[in-house]
């Protein structure tokens, strides 16, 4: 990722105060610890929308 940033002319500091060494993600996990939905971020600012997460929850509740 850092090579792509540098190659495109961006500086690593472009992420501001975020920890640019850590990629994020959003997960839905049940009480037993099973991962029901995983969104692995491509960069620190890449996050699913609230609508997308709510849609995943609706899909899971429709199954049960």
């Amino acid at each position: 990722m850092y090579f792509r940033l540098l190659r495109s002319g961006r500086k690593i500091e472009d992420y501001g105060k975020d920890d640019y060494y850590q990629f994020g993600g959003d997960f839905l996990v049940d009480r037993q610890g099973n991962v029901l939905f995983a969104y692995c971020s491509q960069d620190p600012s890449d996050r699913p929308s609230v609508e997308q997460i709510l849609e995943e929850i609706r899909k899971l509740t429709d199954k049960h």
Side-chain angles (χ1 to χ4, degrees):
M1 177 190 92
Y2 302 112
F3 178 74
R4 285 184 299 161
L5 285 173
L6 294 172
R7 186 177 61 189
S8 68
R10 292 182 64 190
K11 295 180 182 177
I12 294 175
E13 298 87 34
D14 287 350
Y15 287 118
K17 295 182 180 183
D18 290 336
D19 182 357
Y20 52 81
Y21 291 111
Q22 180 176 348
F23 285 80
D26 291 271
F27 303 89
L28 297 175
V29 181
D30 68 11
R31 292 176 191 246
Q32 291 74 38
N34 299 308
V35 177
L36 305 174
F37 169 76
Y39 184 95
C40 299
S41 301
Q42 298 299 309
D43 62 58
S45 65
D46 179 29
R47 306 306 292 256
S49 67
V50 171
E51 292 80 17
Q52 185 178 358
I53 293 173
L54 291 174
E55 179 61 27
E56 292 299 326
I57 293 171
R58 278 192 281 283
K59 288 179 193 176
L60 291 168
T61 56
D62 288 346
K63 290 181 181 180
H64 296 107

